[in-house]
Amino acid sequence: VQLQASGGGLVQPGGSLRLSCAASGNFISIYGMAWHRQAPGKQRELVASISGSDNTNYADSVRGRFTISRDNLKNSVSLQMNGLQPEDTAVYYCAASVRITTYNSANYWGQGTQVTVSS
């Protein structure tokens, strides 16, 4: 199973970006999906998650500015980021909990995509 993330880049404060992540490979289904981020010198933190039934959860720092969504037909998850601030600068990673076989599941990470917010 591979997760391919895209959509990072450089944006000015107050701007917007949309991250996308698609899963590929052999699996039965995807349970939860999430976005994490890691800023230089800091620990990786959960930004937003979405369950198989579309229940969402957000870090306090992004609630109201970021929106996570998923497309089950495309096995993908997206993160719409509005009102970006310099403190949002980080490498963003997508993650997914995947049902591999009837009795086995595993967690996977994408390769990370850089988001830089700067004037």
Side-chain angles (χ1 to χ4, degrees), residues 28-43:
I28 295 176
S29 62
I30 300 176
Y31 297 121
M33 305 186 82
W35 288 94
H36 298 248
R37 68 186 180 187
Q38 187 166 19
K42 295 187 177 181
Q43 291 188 334

Side-chain angles (χ1 to χ4, degrees), residues 93-109:
Y93 299 89
C94 61
S97 177
V98 180
R99 187 181 186 187
I100 306 301
T101 67
T102 301
Y103 302 108
N104 292 296
S105 63
N107 296 322
Y108 294 89
W109 291 86

Side-chain angles (χ1 to χ4, degrees), residues 13-96:
S16 299
L17 280 175
R18 185 176 181 86
L19 306 181
S20 297
C21 176
S24 62
N26 294 318
F27 55 89
I28 295 176
S29 62
I30 300 176
Y31 297 121
M33 305 186 82
W35 288 94
H36 298 248
R37 68 186 180 187
Q38 187 166 19
K42 295 187 177 181
Q43 291 188 334
R44 189 173 298 189
E45 63 174 352
L46 175 67
V47 176
S49 64
I50 185 166
S51 71
S53 55
D54 286 346
N55 290 318
T56 58
N57 182 52
Y58 296 92
D60 289 342
S61 60
V62 308
R63 187 175 291 112
R65 299 187 297 124
F66 291 10
T67 302
I68 189 171
S69 60
R70 63 188 290 171
D71 184 333
N72 292 327
L73 293 179
K74 296 182 179 179
N75 295 315
S76 66
V77 62
S78 296
L79 185 69
Q80 177 65 42
M81 304 184 294
N82 299 328
L84 284 161
Q85 299 300 320
E87 52 265 34
D88 295 315
T89 295
V91 178
Y92 284 70
Y93 299 89
C94 61

